[in-house]
Amino acid sequence: MIPAKISCDVVALGGGPGATPGAQWLARQGLRVVIVEKGVGLGGTCLFEGCIPSKILLETANRRFEVTQGTHFGLSQTSTPDVDVPSLMNRKAKILATRATGAARACEQLNMTIMYGTADFLSPHEVVVRRRDQSDVILEAKWILAAPGSTASTVPIPGAQTPGVWSSADALQMPQVPKTITIIGGGYIGCEFATLFTRLGAKVHLLEALPHILATEDPFAAQAVRSSLLAQQVEISESVSIRQIEKETDMAWNVHYQTAQGEEHIVSSQRVLIAAGRRPNTKDIHWEKAGIHLGTRQEVPVNDYGQTEVPHIYAPGDVNGLMMLAHAASRQSVLVAQHIVGQIPTESFSEMVVPHVIFTAPEVASVGADSRSLEHNPTWKLTKWPYARDARALIVGDDEGFAQVIWDHKTGQIKGMQVVGEQAGELILTATHAITHGETLTDMAKTIHPHPVLYEVISELLNAARLEQSAIKGDAS
Ligand code: NAI
């Protein structure tokens, strides 16, 4: 049967944060937009296998943990609740469905067409959609937003492909909380899952190939998370080389690894989770038919406006391998939409100021430069402020957190900030705003905050940095 052919202005390949915001933006401009999604709904990895479900599970894990801290807050009832996994999964499913339905409704209200099926290139202007009912449709479009996202990386470890080895997506569907779990990879995902599982009551062993977990993070922040995981009884082995993953039964696994000193070890656990990075989801798409050559990491290379080497095809989101963060993908998506209609985008990709948060305990949030940048920038300074000196922090029970700001002593301009502790992800927002707008310590310190709120950690931090700046200038004003 000859497939039906539909002409439109824009095809969005993928229904995640890389495609949907831009597609909606274009639909608002009156363009005819078709969005093609191979999964069960709109939302992408973020909604179905990433940010949202992991935070739903972490919310439960953190609340469970809080109960054990009751005596600290004058409560005598401190027994640890059991985790009701079916009801937790039910809660997760409801939130996910609400979000996916909301996204689909928003697209429909904009007269967009949502097509569920798998999209592939036929030519630079044509995409074939293999729909679930097996019927094919060819979409011919002036512009294409190719945003198929990313997928968990495979690792060259014997046994890593054995059915039953968990990816992060599998772990989020767990039928029950394992008593013991080995996590391979101490990056964002590995550390968030270590926090999740230890707080759900599992014994966790975290294995990392590099000398330190969270190796891409500010070293002070990474060290704080490391100490906290250790205090929460997570076993951490760094500089290890994994030899083999061996299955005994579905609930009994052995991970063989070698230490930097050459000692061979075996860790046995009920589950093994691999969290060793993500790669662009480019494998099953015929990019060459569109005239696109993949990069060395199998990513789709783009210019500073998200355009591929074929100018009417844009690749926002994880697929371009620049920044695998949902909020970066959403912004890239809107920037490419602006570029498509000939507007000067709000900013180019390289101008984006993108904060990130690691939802460990303590929570880590970071934007812009971190302490490692001081080495190369002689006029930059680092100022720290401890949560322990803040009233609200003491009230909420966090006397270990800290915030640090990196600033230029010549101009007072803020270059970066890290917050490690309660509500770090919320506290980083004002610094993100300040850096986006090129603000100085004085600009940022002008804002009056209510009292008593955690934000006072940041205002005290700014005051301390301003004092340092005055001292450097020899000016006490
Ligand atoms: P990652 O690249 O951040 O960390 C992977 C870790 O696994 C690295 O430390 C690496 O050295 C280690 N590793 C790799 N192969 C190994 C092996 N064979 N044995 C032992 N260790 C090994 O990747 P991750 O954590 O999987 O996250 C992927 C992406 O997802 C991140 O880049 C991040 O952008 C995004 N993400 C963001 C989150 C957030 O914003 N809160 C949360 C989770 C993920």
Side-chain angles (χ1 to χ4, degrees), residues 63-65 67-68 78-84 200:
R63 284 172 184 263
R64 179 179 184 272
F65 175 79
V67 173
T68 67
T78 59
S79 66
T80 314
D82 291 334
V83 186
D84 178 351
L200 288 178

Side-chain angles (χ1 to χ4, degrees), residues 55 155 157 184-190 192 207-210 242 275-278 324-325 357-359:
K55 274 40 161 203
V155 282
I157 301 171
I184 298 176
Y188 292 8
I189 295 186
E192 286 189 8
L207 298 172
E208 168 57 50
L210 297 174
I242 315 280
R278 296 185 66 82
M324 291 200 181
L325 295 169
V357 183
I358 315 174
F359 293 89

